Amino acid sequence: MEGIKFNQIGVSFKGSGSYVPEQILTNQKISQKVDTSDEWIKSRTGISERRISSPEDNVTEMGYKAAQTAIEMANWDLKTIDLIVLATSTPHDLFGSAPSIQAKLGANNAVAFDLTAACSGFLFALITASQFLRGRSFKRAIVIGADQLSSFVDWNDRRSCILFGDGAGALAIEATSEYDNLLGFDMRTDGDRGSFLNLQSKNDKNSIIDNIDFLRGGFSSIQMNGQEVYKFAVREVPIILEKLFKKTNYSSDKVDWLVLHQANQRILDSVGDRLKIPREKILSNLEKYGNTSAATIPLMMDEAIKNNRIKQNDIIATSGFGAGLSWGAALIKWG
Ligand code: COA
């Protein structure tokens, strides 16, 4: 589908929105809980603080608020929205949270569903929704990334608890026959390396009646091999972006903004260096929010759009990566 021509249907970007909970957990406060320090966390990750959901800030609520803002910016009648895709690994309802967001919005004509691909989730959802537009099934879609990893972090594990926070972001995308501003994309997974980062179910054995056992559902906390995940990210992200540039006849010097999944400032800088993209083009807000999983990319984009850094027709190279292992990239022209 790369290099789509104008008699076909393409994707245009119409709006963005985001939401973060009010509660702020600073590095200093984390150091009251585990043996760490503001200096250690900042120097190894670039993170200073993160947001933590209150009971009112579950994924449905955060995703709804982000979507609402994106719809306002797009100036859409709610009845014209055809599709809502929610990327999340932490749904408020395991059966799916997207339909609740649809109901809260009042987007009665839309079909809504969840998609899970951890920190690559937003990118995978954006690409999924775009294919429905390019395939002429739907015209208007809201793509949301929202996560509440604070509920699944082991707050006694200093190697991982310092990284994560909660939040949501959303983009409004529309089918058009005039151009295609999703210039290209790629997606990858490697389940063989899945043990480096996971959040597995914890099945407690219970009995229904004599001799018939069942496993009560639940989840353990995030397990992470930080060094392996780091090596994976700094190796695979430049490779997938370089391949994408080649496939789309773009090069890194034509990129206005590099919007990577906000995991660690050192990962962002290392990927930027490999691609020879200067630091001033690498967007970063992880200092304030940490890693909000599926939310980081639209949260970052929304901030940069609202403060006039990302402008109409800017070229954005974006990449999500994380558990699965999964990773993906997209080249976008904003507008
Ligand atoms: N505070 C203080 N010390 C800490 C610490 C913390 N929060 N976390 C780990 N340490 C200690 C370790 O115990 C270790 O001590 P030791 O040498 O005495 O054993 C030392 O710091 C170095 O640990 P290491 O794991 O090698 O640190 P690192 O430089 O790899 O940084 C991460 C750790 C987690 C910041 C880094 O590996 C990382 O960011 N990885 C990617 C993770 C990620 O992005 N995950 C999400 C992907 S979507």
Side-chain angles (χ1 to χ4, degrees), residues 237-238 241-258 271-279 281-282 315-318 331:
V237 174
L241 279 166
E242 265 163 2
K243 280 190 182 159
L244 185 57
F245 291 144
K246 213 175 242 175
K247 204 155 69 171
T248 51
N249 286 324
Y250 271 80
S251 52
S252 59
D253 58 320
K254 289 190 190 147
V255 165
D256 294 300
W257 303 108
L258 181 64
V271 172
D273 289 348
R274 292 267 192 101
L275 296 171
K276 300 194 172 54
I277 294 179
R279 294 280 154 93
K281 291 185 172 183
I282 305 173
I315 303 293
I316 303 160
T318 177
L331 197 61

Coordinates of all heavy atoms in Angstrom, one line a residue, residues 237-238 241-258 271-279 281-282 315-318 331:
V237 N 14.6 -0.1 16.3 CA 13.9 1.2 15.9 C 14.6 1.9 14.7 O 14.0 2.2 13.7 CB 13.6 2.1 17.1 CG1 13.0 3.4 16.6 CG2 12.7 1.4 18.1
P238 N 15.9 2.1 14.8 CA 16.6 2.7 13.6 C 16.4 1.8 12.4 O 16.2 2.3 11.3 CB 18.1 2.8 14.0 CG 18.1 2.8 15.5 CD 16.9 1.9 15.9
L241 N 12.9 2.2 10.9 CA 12.7 3.5 10.3 C 13.6 3.7 9.0 O 13.1 4.3 8.0 CB 13.1 4.6 11.3 CG 12.0 4.9 12.3 CD1 12.5 5.7 13.5 CD2 10.8 5.6 11.7
E242 N 14.8 3.2 9.0 CA 15.6 3.3 7.8 C 14.9 2.6 6.6 O 14.9 3.1 5.5 CB 17.0 2.7 8.1 CG 18.0 3.8 8.4 CD 19.2 3.3 9.1 OE1 19.4 2.1 9.2 OE2 20.1 4.2 9.5
K243 N 14.4 1.4 6.9 CA 13.7 0.6 5.9 C 12.5 1.4 5.3 O 12.2 1.4 4.2 CB 13.2 -0.7 6.4 CG 14.3 -1.8 6.4 CD 13.7 -3.1 6.8 CE 14.8 -4.2 6.9 NZ 14.4 -5.4 7.6
L244 N 11.8 2.1 6.3 CA 10.6 2.8 5.9 C 11.0 4.0 5.0 O 10.3 4.3 4.0 CB 9.9 3.3 7.1 CG 8.6 4.0 6.9 CD1 7.6 3.1 6.2 CD2 8.0 4.3 8.3
F245 N 12.1 4.7 5.4 CA 12.6 5.8 4.5 C 12.9 5.3 3.1 O 12.5 6.0 2.1 CB 13.8 6.5 5.1 CG 13.6 7.2 6.4 CD1 14.5 7.2 7.4 CD2 12.4 7.9 6.6 CE1 14.3 7.9 8.6 CE2 12.2 8.6 7.8 CZ 13.2 8.6 8.8
K246 N 13.5 4.2 3.0 CA 13.9 3.6 1.7 C 12.7 3.3 0.9 O 12.5 3.7 -0.3 CB 14.7 2.4 1.9 CG 15.8 2.2 0.9 CD 16.6 1.0 1.2 CE 18.1 1.4 1.4 NZ 18.9 0.3 1.8
K247 N 11.7 2.7 1.6 CA 10.5 2.2 0.9 C 9.6 3.4 0.4 O 8.9 3.3 -0.6 CB 9.7 1.4 1.9 CG 8.7 0.4 1.3 CD 8.4 -0.7 2.3 CE 7.6 -0.3 3.5 NZ 7.1 -1.5 4.3
T248 N 9.7 4.5 1.1 CA 8.9 5.7 0.8 C 9.6 6.8 0.0 O 9.1 7.8 -0.2 CB 8.3 6.3 2.0 OG1 9.4 6.6 2.9 CG2 7.3 5.4 2.7
N249 N 10.9 6.4 -0.3 CA 11.8 7.4 -1.0 C 11.9 8.7 -0.2 O 12.0 9.8 -0.7 CB 11.2 7.8 -2.4 CG 11.5 6.7 -3.3 OD1 12.5 6.0 -3.3 ND2 10.5 6.4 -4.2
Y250 N 11.9 8.6 1.1 CA 12.2 9.7 2.0 C 13.6 9.4 2.6 O 14.1 8.3 2.5 CB 11.2 9.8 3.1 CG 10.0 10.7 2.7 CD1 9.0 10.2 1.9 CD2 9.9 12.0 3.1 CE1 7.9 10.9 1.6 CE2 8.8 12.8 2.8 CZ 7.8 12.3 2.0 OH 6.8 13.1 1.6
S251 N 14.2 10.5 3.2 CA 15.4 10.2 4.0 C 15.3 11.0 5.3 O 14.4 11.9 5.4 CB 16.6 10.7 3.2 OG 16.4 12.1 2.8
S252 N 16.1 10.7 6.3 CA 15.9 11.3 7.6 C 16.1 12.8 7.6 O 15.5 13.5 8.4 CB 16.9 10.7 8.6 OG 18.2 10.9 8.2
D253 N 16.8 13.4 6.6 CA 17.0 14.8 6.6 C 15.7 15.5 6.1 O 15.6 16.7 6.2 CB 18.2 15.2 5.7 CG 18.1 14.7 4.3 OD1 17.7 13.6 4.1 OD2 18.5 15.5 3.4
K254 N 14.7 14.8 5.6 CA 13.4 15.4 5.2 C 12.4 15.4 6.3 O 11.3 15.8 6.2 CB 12.9 14.6 4.0 CG 13.6 14.9 2.7 CD 12.8 14.3 1.5 CE 13.6 14.2 0.2 NZ 13.3 13.1 -0.6
V255 N 12.8 14.8 7.4 CA 11.9 14.6 8.6 C 11.9 15.9 9.4 O 13.0 16.4 9.7 CB 12.4 13.4 9.4 CG1 11.7 13.4 10.8 CG2 12.1 12.1 8.7
D256 N 10.7 16.4 9.7 CA 10.6 17.6 10.6 C 10.7 17.2 12.0 O 11.2 17.9 12.9 CB 9.3 18.4 10.3 CG 9.3 19.0 8.9 OD1 10.2 19.8 8.6 OD2 8.5 18.6 8.0
W257 N 10.0 16.0 12.3 CA 9.9 15.6 13.7 C 10.1 14.1 13.9 O 9.5 13.4 13.1 CB 8.6 16.0 14.3 CG 8.3 17.5 14.2 CD1 7.4 18.1 13.4 CD2 8.9 18.5 15.0 NE1 7.4 19.4 13.6 CE2 8.4 19.8 14.5 CE3 9.9 18.6 16.0 CZ2 8.8 21.0 15.0 CZ3 10.3 19.8 16.5 CH2 9.7 21.0 16.0
L258 N 10.9 13.7 14.9 CA 10.9 12.3 15.2 C 10.1 12.1 16.5 O 10.4 12.7 17.5 CB 12.4 11.9 15.5 CG 12.6 10.4 15.8 CD1 12.3 9.5 14.7 CD2 14.1 10.2 16.2
V271 N 18.5 6.6 19.1 CA 17.9 6.4 17.8 C 18.1 7.6 16.9 O 18.4 7.5 15.7 CB 16.4 6.1 18.0 CG1 15.6 6.1 16.6 CG2 16.1 4.8 18.7
G272 N 17.9 8.8 17.5 CA 18.1 10.0 16.7 C 19.6 10.1 16.2 O 19.8 10.4 15.0
D273 N 20.5 9.7 17.0 CA 21.9 9.8 16.5 C 22.2 8.8 15.4 O 22.8 9.1 14.4 CB 22.9 9.4 17.7 CG 22.9 10.5 18.7 OD1 22.4 11.6 18.5 OD2 23.5 10.2 19.8
R274 N 21.6 7.6 15.5 CA 21.8 6.6 14.4 C 21.2 7.1 13.1 O 21.7 6.8 12.0 CB 21.1 5.3 14.8 CG 21.7 4.5 15.9 CD 22.7 3.5 15.4 NE 23.1 2.6 16.5 CZ 22.6 1.4 16.7 NH1 21.8 0.9 15.8 NH2 22.9 0.7 17.8
L275 N 20.1 7.8 13.2 CA 19.4 8.2 12.0 C 19.9 9.6 11.6 O 19.4 10.2 10.6 CB 17.9 8.3 12.2 CG 17.2 7.0 12.5 CD1 15.7 7.2 13.0 CD2 17.2 6.1 11.3
K276 N 20.8 10.2 12.3 CA 21.4 11.5 12.1 C 20.3 12.6 12.1 O 20.2 13.5 11.2 CB 22.2 11.5 10.8 CG 23.3 10.6 10.8 CD 24.3 10.9 9.6 CE 25.6 10.1 9.7 NZ 25.4 8.6 9.8
I277 N 19.3 12.4 13.0 CA 18.3 13.4 13.2 C 18.7 14.3 14.4 O 18.9 13.7 15.5 CB 16.9 12.8 13.4 CG1 16.5 12.0 12.1 CG2 15.8 13.8 13.8 CD1 15.2 11.3 12.2
P278 N 18.8 15.6 14.2 CA 19.3 16.4 15.3 C 18.4 16.5 16.5 O 17.2 16.3 16.3 CB 19.5 17.8 14.7 CG 18.7 17.8 13.4 CD 18.6 16.4 13.0
R279 N 19.0 16.7 17.7 CA 18.2 16.7 18.9 C 17.0 17.6 18.9 O 15.9 17.2 19.4 CB 19.1 17.1 20.1 CG 20.2 16.1 20.4 CD 19.7 14.9 21.2 NE 20.6 13.7 20.9 CZ 21.6 13.4 21.7 NH1 21.9 14.1 22.7 NH2 22.4 12.4 21.3
K281 N 14.9 18.1 16.7 CA 13.8 17.5 16.0 C 13.2 16.3 16.7 O 12.2 15.7 16.2 CB 14.2 17.1 14.6 CG 14.5 18.3 13.7 CD 14.8 17.8 12.3 CE 15.0 18.9 11.3 NZ 15.2 18.4 9.9
I282 N 13.8 16.0 17.8 CA 13.3 14.8 18.6 C 12.4 15.3 19.6 O 12.8 15.9 20.6 CB 14.5 14.0 19.2 CG1 15.5 13.6 18.1 CG2 14.0 12.8 19.9 CD1 16.8 13.0 18.7
I315 N 6.5 16.7 8.2 CA 6.8 15.3 8.1 C 7.2 14.7 9.4 O 8.2 15.2 10.0 CB 7.9 15.0 7.0 CG1 7.5 15.6 5.7 CG2 8.2 13.5 6.9 CD1 6.3 14.9 5.0
I316 N 6.5 13.7 9.9 CA 6.7 13.1 11.2 C 7.1 11.6 11.0 O 6.3 10.9 10.4 CB 5.4 13.2 12.1 CG1 5.0 14.6 12.2 CG2 5.7 12.5 13.4 CD1 3.5 14.8 12.6
A317 N 8.3 11.3 11.5 CA 8.7 9.9 11.5 C 8.3 9.4 12.9 O 8.8 10.0 13.9 CB 10.1 9.7 11.2
T318 N 7.6 8.3 13.0 CA 7.2 7.8 14.4 C 7.4 6.4 14.5 O 7.3 5.6 13.5 CB 5.7 8.2 14.7 OG1 5.3 7.7 15.9 CG2 4.7 7.7 13.6
L331 N 5.4 6.9 8.7 CA 5.8 8.2 8.2 C 4.5 8.9 7.9 O 3.7 8.4 7.1 CB 6.7 8.0 7.0 CG 7.5 9.2 6.6 CD1 8.5 9.6 7.7 CD2 8.3 8.9 5.3

